[in-house]
Amino acid sequence: MSAPTELLSLITPDAPSHTPADDAVRLLLFNAQHASPDRSRRQAAWVAAQ
């Protein structure tokens, strides 16, 4: 059985809200302890929009 050559995402993102930089690194950290469902959804929506 051969491996698939292309993986399709179940989430189709809109166009990125920023232009990727070639001279910087972006780091995103989350503290998931005691996360509220509403806040988690808002954060996931924000990350998807980036």
Side-chain angles (χ1 to χ4, degrees):
M1 186 165 145
S2 63
T5 57
E6 181 179 342
L7 297 177
L8 299 176
S9 174
L10 296 176
I11 302 172
T12 55
D14 295 331
S17 62
H18 69 280
T19 303
D22 58 2
D23 62 346
V25 174
R26 295 178 81 178
L27 179 65
L28 178 64
L29 300 174
F30 280 100
N31 181 355
Q33 186 176 9
H34 305 295
S36 75
D38 290 336
R39 184 176 46 220
S40 298
R41 287 185 197 95
R42 287 193 313 269
Q43 289 173 339
W46 180 86
V47 169
Q50 300 303 307

Short mmCIF file of all heavy atoms in Angstrom, two decimals:
data_model
loop_
_atom_site.label_atom_id
_atom_site.label_comp_id
_atom_site.label_asym_id
_atom_site.label_seq_id
_atom_site.Cartn_x
_atom_site.Cartn_y
_atom_site.Cartn_z
N MET A 1 0.85 -1.19 0.00
CA MET A 1 0.00 0.00 0.00
C MET A 1 0.89 1.24 0.00
O MET A 1 1.76 1.39 0.83
CB MET A 1 -0.90 -0.02 1.24
CG MET A 1 -1.90 1.05 1.27
SD MET A 1 -3.13 0.63 2.53
CE MET A 1 -3.48 2.23 3.12
N SER A 2 0.66 2.12 -0.93
CA SER A 2 1.50 3.33 -1.02
C SER A 2 0.92 4.46 -0.17
O SER A 2 -0.28 4.52 0.06
CB SER A 2 1.62 3.79 -2.47
OG SER A 2 0.35 4.15 -2.97
N ALA A 3 1.81 5.33 0.26
CA ALA A 3 1.39 6.48 1.08
C ALA A 3 0.73 7.53 0.19
O ALA A 3 1.10 7.68 -0.97
CB ALA A 3 2.60 7.08 1.78
N PRO A 4 -0.25 8.25 0.71
CA PRO A 4 -0.87 9.31 -0.09
C PRO A 4 0.15 10.40 -0.41
O PRO A 4 1.03 10.69 0.38
CB PRO A 4 -2.00 9.84 0.79
CG PRO A 4 -1.68 9.37 2.16
CD PRO A 4 -0.83 8.14 2.03
N THR A 5 0.03 10.96 -1.59
CA THR A 5 0.98 12.00 -1.99
C THR A 5 0.54 13.38 -1.52
O THR A 5 1.34 14.30 -1.49
CB THR A 5 1.14 12.02 -3.52
OG1 THR A 5 -0.15 12.22 -4.11
CG2 THR A 5 1.73 10.71 -4.01
N GLU A 6 -0.73 13.53 -1.18
CA GLU A 6 -1.22 14.83 -0.73
C GLU A 6 -2.22 14.63 0.40
O GLU A 6 -3.09 13.77 0.32
CB GLU A 6 -1.91 15.55 -1.89
CG GLU A 6 -2.43 16.92 -1.54
CD GLU A 6 -3.08 17.60 -2.74
OE1 GLU A 6 -2.85 17.18 -3.88
OE2 GLU A 6 -3.84 18.54 -2.50
N LEU A 7 -2.09 15.41 1.46
CA LEU A 7 -3.03 15.35 2.57
C LEU A 7 -3.95 16.56 2.49
O LEU A 7 -3.50 17.68 2.28
CB LEU A 7 -2.28 15.37 3.91
CG LEU A 7 -1.36 14.18 4.16
CD1 LEU A 7 -0.64 14.36 5.48
CD2 LEU A 7 -2.15 12.89 4.18
N LEU A 8 -5.22 16.33 2.62
CA LEU A 8 -6.19 17.42 2.56
C LEU A 8 -6.67 17.76 3.96
O LEU A 8 -7.00 16.88 4.75
CB LEU A 8 -7.39 17.02 1.69
CG LEU A 8 -7.06 16.68 0.24
CD1 LEU A 8 -8.31 16.20 -0.47
CD2 LEU A 8 -6.47 17.88 -0.46
N SER A 9 -6.72 19.03 4.27
CA SER A 9 -7.17 19.49 5.57
C SER A 9 -8.69 19.52 5.61
O SER A 9 -9.35 19.81 4.60
CB SER A 9 -6.62 20.89 5.84
OG SER A 9 -7.17 21.40 7.03
N LEU A 10 -9.25 19.21 6.77
CA LEU A 10 -10.69 19.33 6.94
C LEU A 10 -11.11 20.77 7.18
O LEU A 10 -12.27 21.11 7.07
CB LEU A 10 -11.15 18.46 8.11
CG LEU A 10 -10.93 16.96 7.93
CD1 LEU A 10 -11.33 16.22 9.20
CD2 LEU A 10 -11.70 16.44 6.74
N ILE A 11 -10.14 21.62 7.51
CA ILE A 11 -10.40 23.04 7.74
C ILE A 11 -9.83 23.80 6.56
O ILE A 11 -8.64 23.71 6.26
CB ILE A 11 -9.74 23.51 9.04
CG1 ILE A 11 -10.26 22.70 10.22
CG2 ILE A 11 -9.96 25.00 9.24
CD1 ILE A 11 -9.53 22.98 11.51
N THR A 12 -10.66 24.54 5.88
CA THR A 12 -10.17 25.34 4.75
C THR A 12 -9.99 26.77 5.21
O THR A 12 -10.96 27.51 5.36
CB THR A 12 -11.15 25.28 3.56
OG1 THR A 12 -12.44 25.67 4.02
CG2 THR A 12 -11.23 23.88 2.99
N PRO A 13 -8.76 27.20 5.48
CA PRO A 13 -8.53 28.55 5.99
C PRO A 13 -8.75 29.61 4.92
O PRO A 13 -8.57 29.35 3.72
CB PRO A 13 -7.06 28.52 6.41
CG PRO A 13 -6.45 27.47 5.55
CD PRO A 13 -7.52 26.45 5.31
N ASP A 14 -9.16 30.77 5.36
CA ASP A 14 -9.24 31.93 4.48
C ASP A 14 -7.80 32.38 4.20
O ASP A 14 -6.86 31.82 4.73
CB ASP A 14 -10.01 33.06 5.14
CG ASP A 14 -11.47 32.68 5.37
OD1 ASP A 14 -12.00 31.86 4.60
OD2 ASP A 14 -12.07 33.19 6.33
N ALA A 15 -7.67 33.40 3.43
CA ALA A 15 -6.34 33.94 3.16
C ALA A 15 -5.71 34.40 4.47
O ALA A 15 -6.41 34.90 5.36
CB ALA A 15 -6.45 35.10 2.20
N PRO A 16 -4.40 34.24 4.64
CA PRO A 16 -3.74 34.68 5.88
C PRO A 16 -3.93 36.18 6.10
O PRO A 16 -4.02 36.94 5.14
CB PRO A 16 -2.27 34.36 5.65
CG PRO A 16 -2.19 33.53 4.43
CD PRO A 16 -3.47 33.67 3.69
N SER A 17 -3.99 36.57 7.36
CA SER A 17 -4.19 37.98 7.68
C SER A 17 -2.87 38.75 7.72
O SER A 17 -2.87 39.93 8.00
CB SER A 17 -4.92 38.12 9.02
OG SER A 17 -4.13 37.56 10.04
N HIS A 18 -1.76 38.07 7.45
CA HIS A 18 -0.46 38.74 7.46
C HIS A 18 0.41 38.15 6.36
O HIS A 18 0.14 37.08 5.83
CB HIS A 18 0.23 38.57 8.82
CG HIS A 18 0.65 37.15 9.07
ND1 HIS A 18 -0.22 36.19 9.51
CD2 HIS A 18 1.84 36.54 8.91
CE1 HIS A 18 0.41 35.04 9.61
NE2 HIS A 18 1.66 35.21 9.24
N THR A 19 1.44 38.88 6.02
CA THR A 19 2.43 38.39 5.07
C THR A 19 3.54 37.72 5.86
O THR A 19 4.07 38.33 6.79
CB THR A 19 3.00 39.56 4.25
OG1 THR A 19 1.90 40.23 3.62
CG2 THR A 19 3.97 39.08 3.20
N PRO A 20 3.92 36.50 5.52
CA PRO A 20 4.99 35.83 6.26
C PRO A 20 6.29 36.62 6.20
O PRO A 20 6.64 37.17 5.17
CB PRO A 20 5.14 34.48 5.56
CG PRO A 20 3.87 34.28 4.82
CD PRO A 20 3.37 35.64 4.47
N ALA A 21 6.97 36.69 7.33
CA ALA A 21 8.25 37.39 7.40
C ALA A 21 9.37 36.40 7.15
O ALA A 21 9.29 35.24 7.54
CB ALA A 21 8.42 38.03 8.77
N ASP A 22 10.43 36.86 6.48
CA ASP A 22 11.57 35.98 6.26
C ASP A 22 12.73 36.32 7.20
O ASP A 22 13.81 35.76 7.10
CB ASP A 22 12.04 36.02 4.81
CG ASP A 22 12.41 37.41 4.36
OD1 ASP A 22 12.35 38.36 5.17
OD2 ASP A 22 12.78 37.56 3.18
N ASP A 23 12.48 37.26 8.14
CA ASP A 23 13.54 37.67 9.05
C ASP A 23 13.11 37.59 10.52
O ASP A 23 13.72 38.19 11.38
CB ASP A 23 13.97 39.10 8.74
CG ASP A 23 12.83 40.10 8.91
OD1 ASP A 23 11.67 39.67 9.01
OD2 ASP A 23 13.11 41.31 8.95
N ALA A 24 12.02 36.83 10.80
CA ALA A 24 11.52 36.75 12.17
C ALA A 24 10.93 35.37 12.42
O ALA A 24 10.56 34.65 11.49
CB ALA A 24 10.46 37.82 12.42
N VAL A 25 10.83 35.03 13.68
CA VAL A 25 10.22 33.76 14.09
C VAL A 25 9.03 34.10 14.98
O VAL A 25 9.13 34.95 15.86
CB VAL A 25 11.24 32.90 14.88
CG1 VAL A 25 10.57 31.66 15.43
CG2 VAL A 25 12.42 32.55 14.02
N ARG A 26 7.91 33.43 14.74
CA ARG A 26 6.74 33.63 15.58
C ARG A 26 6.59 32.41 16.47
O ARG A 26 6.72 31.28 16.02
CB ARG A 26 5.49 33.79 14.72
CG ARG A 26 5.54 35.06 13.87
CD ARG A 26 4.32 35.17 13.03
NE ARG A 26 3.24 35.70 13.84
CZ ARG A 26 2.03 35.94 13.37
NH1 ARG A 26 1.73 35.68 12.14
NH2 ARG A 26 1.10 36.41 14.16
N LEU A 27 6.32 32.64 17.72
CA LEU A 27 6.17 31.56 18.70
C LEU A 27 4.83 31.75 19.40
O LEU A 27 4.49 32.85 19.84
CB LEU A 27 7.32 31.61 19.72
CG LEU A 27 7.29 30.56 20.82
CD1 LEU A 27 7.45 29.17 20.23
CD2 LEU A 27 8.40 30.85 21.80
N LEU A 28 4.08 30.69 19.51
CA LEU A 28 2.77 30.74 20.14
C LEU A 28 2.72 29.69 21.24
O LEU A 28 2.97 28.52 20.98
CB LEU A 28 1.68 30.47 19.09
CG LEU A 28 0.25 30.43 19.58
CD1 LEU A 28 -0.17 31.79 20.12
CD2 LEU A 28 -0.67 30.01 18.46
N LEU A 29 2.43 30.10 22.46
CA LEU A 29 2.34 29.20 23.60
C LEU A 29 0.95 29.30 24.21
O LEU A 29 0.37 30.38 24.28
CB LEU A 29 3.38 29.56 24.66
CG LEU A 29 4.84 29.51 24.23
CD1 LEU A 29 5.73 30.05 25.34
CD2 LEU A 29 5.23 28.10 23.87
N PHE A 30 0.45 28.19 24.69
CA PHE A 30 -0.84 28.17 25.37
C PHE A 30 -0.69 27.46 26.70
O PHE A 30 -0.03 26.43 26.79
CB PHE A 30 -1.89 27.42 24.56
CG PHE A 30 -2.48 28.22 23.45
CD1 PHE A 30 -2.05 28.05 22.15
CD2 PHE A 30 -3.49 29.13 23.69
CE1 PHE A 30 -2.61 28.78 21.12
CE2 PHE A 30 -4.05 29.87 22.67
CZ PHE A 30 -3.60 29.69 21.38
N ASN A 31 -1.31 28.00 27.72
CA ASN A 31 -1.43 27.32 29.00
C ASN A 31 -2.81 26.67 28.99
O ASN A 31 -3.82 27.34 29.12
CB ASN A 31 -1.30 28.31 30.15
CG ASN A 31 -1.39 27.64 31.49
OD1 ASN A 31 -1.64 26.44 31.59
ND2 ASN A 31 -1.19 28.41 32.55
N ALA A 32 -2.84 25.36 28.82
CA ALA A 32 -4.11 24.65 28.64
C ALA A 32 -4.74 24.19 29.95
O ALA A 32 -5.84 23.64 29.95
CB ALA A 32 -3.90 23.45 27.73
N GLN A 33 -4.08 24.42 31.07
CA GLN A 33 -4.63 24.00 32.35
C GLN A 33 -5.84 24.86 32.70
O GLN A 33 -5.79 26.08 32.63
CB GLN A 33 -3.56 24.12 33.43
CG GLN A 33 -3.98 23.57 34.76
CD GLN A 33 -2.86 23.61 35.77
OE1 GLN A 33 -1.82 24.20 35.53
NE2 GLN A 33 -3.06 22.99 36.90
N HIS A 34 -6.93 24.25 33.06
CA HIS A 34 -8.18 24.92 33.45
C HIS A 34 -8.73 25.80 32.34
O HIS A 34 -9.29 26.87 32.61
CB HIS A 34 -7.99 25.75 34.72
CG HIS A 34 -7.44 24.98 35.87
ND1 HIS A 34 -8.12 23.95 36.46
CD2 HIS A 34 -6.26 25.07 36.51
CE1 HIS A 34 -7.38 23.44 37.44
NE2 HIS A 34 -6.24 24.10 37.49
N ALA A 35 -8.60 25.36 31.09
CA ALA A 35 -9.09 26.15 29.96
C ALA A 35 -10.62 26.10 29.90
O ALA A 35 -11.21 25.05 30.07
CB ALA A 35 -8.52 25.62 28.66
N SER A 36 -11.23 27.24 29.66
CA SER A 36 -12.68 27.26 29.50
C SER A 36 -13.01 26.99 28.03
O SER A 36 -12.28 27.40 27.14
CB SER A 36 -13.26 28.61 29.92
OG SER A 36 -12.99 29.59 28.94
N PRO A 37 -14.11 26.28 27.77
CA PRO A 37 -14.47 25.98 26.39
C PRO A 37 -14.66 27.23 25.53
O PRO A 37 -14.23 27.26 24.38
CB PRO A 37 -15.78 25.19 26.52
CG PRO A 37 -15.72 24.59 27.89
CD PRO A 37 -14.99 25.61 28.73
N ASP A 38 -15.30 28.26 26.07
CA ASP A 38 -15.52 29.49 25.30
C ASP A 38 -14.20 30.16 24.93
O ASP A 38 -14.00 30.57 23.78
CB ASP A 38 -16.39 30.48 26.08
CG ASP A 38 -17.82 30.00 26.21
OD1 ASP A 38 -18.26 29.20 25.36
OD2 ASP A 38 -18.49 30.44 27.16
N ARG A 39 -13.30 30.27 25.88
CA ARG A 39 -12.00 30.89 25.61
C ARG A 39 -11.20 30.05 24.61
O ARG A 39 -10.56 30.57 23.71
CB ARG A 39 -11.21 31.08 26.90
CG ARG A 39 -9.88 31.79 26.68
CD ARG A 39 -9.15 32.06 27.97
NE ARG A 39 -9.16 30.87 28.81
CZ ARG A 39 -9.33 30.90 30.13
NH1 ARG A 39 -9.49 32.02 30.77
NH2 ARG A 39 -9.32 29.77 30.82
N SER A 40 -11.29 28.72 24.74
CA SER A 40 -10.59 27.83 23.81
C SER A 40 -11.08 28.02 22.39
O SER A 40 -10.29 28.06 21.44
CB SER A 40 -10.77 26.38 24.23
OG SER A 40 -10.21 26.16 25.50
N ARG A 41 -12.40 28.16 22.22
CA ARG A 41 -12.96 28.39 20.88
C ARG A 41 -12.50 29.72 20.31
O ARG A 41 -12.17 29.82 19.13
CB ARG A 41 -14.48 28.32 20.93
CG ARG A 41 -15.02 26.93 21.11
CD ARG A 41 -16.55 26.90 21.04
NE ARG A 41 -17.04 25.66 21.59
CZ ARG A 41 -17.46 25.48 22.84
NH1 ARG A 41 -17.47 26.48 23.69
NH2 ARG A 41 -17.87 24.30 23.25
N ARG A 42 -12.49 30.76 21.14
CA ARG A 42 -12.03 32.08 20.66
C ARG A 42 -10.57 32.03 20.26
O ARG A 42 -10.17 32.58 19.24
CB ARG A 42 -12.24 33.14 21.75
CG ARG A 42 -13.68 33.54 21.95
CD ARG A 42 -13.82 34.81 22.80
NE ARG A 42 -13.02 34.80 24.01
CZ ARG A 42 -13.43 34.35 25.21
NH1 ARG A 42 -14.64 33.87 25.34
NH2 ARG A 42 -12.64 34.40 26.26
N GLN A 43 -9.75 31.35 21.07
CA GLN A 43 -8.33 31.25 20.74
C GLN A 43 -8.11 30.43 19.47
O GLN A 43 -7.29 30.80 18.63
CB GLN A 43 -7.57 30.62 21.91
CG GLN A 43 -7.46 31.55 23.11
CD GLN A 43 -6.85 30.87 24.32
OE1 GLN A 43 -6.83 29.65 24.44
NE2 GLN A 43 -6.36 31.68 25.24
N ALA A 44 -8.86 29.35 19.30
CA ALA A 44 -8.72 28.54 18.09
C ALA A 44 -9.13 29.35 16.85
O ALA A 44 -8.48 29.27 15.81
CB ALA A 44 -9.57 27.29 18.20
N ALA A 45 -10.17 30.15 16.98
CA ALA A 45 -10.60 31.00 15.86
C ALA A 45 -9.52 32.03 15.53
O ALA A 45 -9.24 32.31 14.36
CB ALA A 45 -11.92 31.69 16.19
N TRP A 46 -8.91 32.60 16.56
CA TRP A 46 -7.84 33.60 16.34
C TRP A 46 -6.65 32.94 15.64
O TRP A 46 -6.11 33.50 14.68
CB TRP A 46 -7.42 34.21 17.66
CG TRP A 46 -6.33 35.22 17.50
CD1 TRP A 46 -6.50 36.54 17.21
CD2 TRP A 46 -4.92 35.00 17.62
NE1 TRP A 46 -5.27 37.15 17.13
CE2 TRP A 46 -4.29 36.22 17.37
CE3 TRP A 46 -4.15 33.89 17.91
CZ2 TRP A 46 -2.91 36.36 17.40
CZ3 TRP A 46 -2.77 34.01 17.93
CH2 TRP A 46 -2.17 35.25 17.69
N VAL A 47 -6.24 31.75 16.12
CA VAL A 47 -5.11 31.06 15.51
C VAL A 47 -5.42 30.74 14.04
O VAL A 47 -4.58 30.93 13.16
CB VAL A 47 -4.75 29.79 16.30
CG1 VAL A 47 -3.76 28.92 15.54
CG2 VAL A 47 -4.19 30.15 17.66
N ALA A 48 -6.62 30.27 13.77
CA ALA A 48 -7.01 29.93 12.39
C ALA A 48 -6.98 31.16 11.49
O ALA A 48 -6.67 31.05 10.31
CB ALA A 48 -8.38 29.29 12.39
N ALA A 49 -7.28 32.33 12.05
CA ALA A 49 -7.28 33.56 11.25
C ALA A 49 -5.87 34.08 10.97
O ALA A 49 -5.68 34.88 10.07
CB ALA A 49 -8.09 34.64 11.96
N GLN A 50 -4.90 33.60 11.72
CA GLN A 50 -3.52 34.06 11.52
C GLN A 50 -2.96 33.35 10.34
O GLN A 50 -2.16 33.22 9.75
CB GLN A 50 -2.68 33.85 12.76
CG GLN A 50 -3.19 34.58 13.97
CD GLN A 50 -3.33 36.09 13.78
OE1 GLN A 50 -2.39 36.76 13.38
NE2 GLN A 50 -4.49 36.62 14.03
#
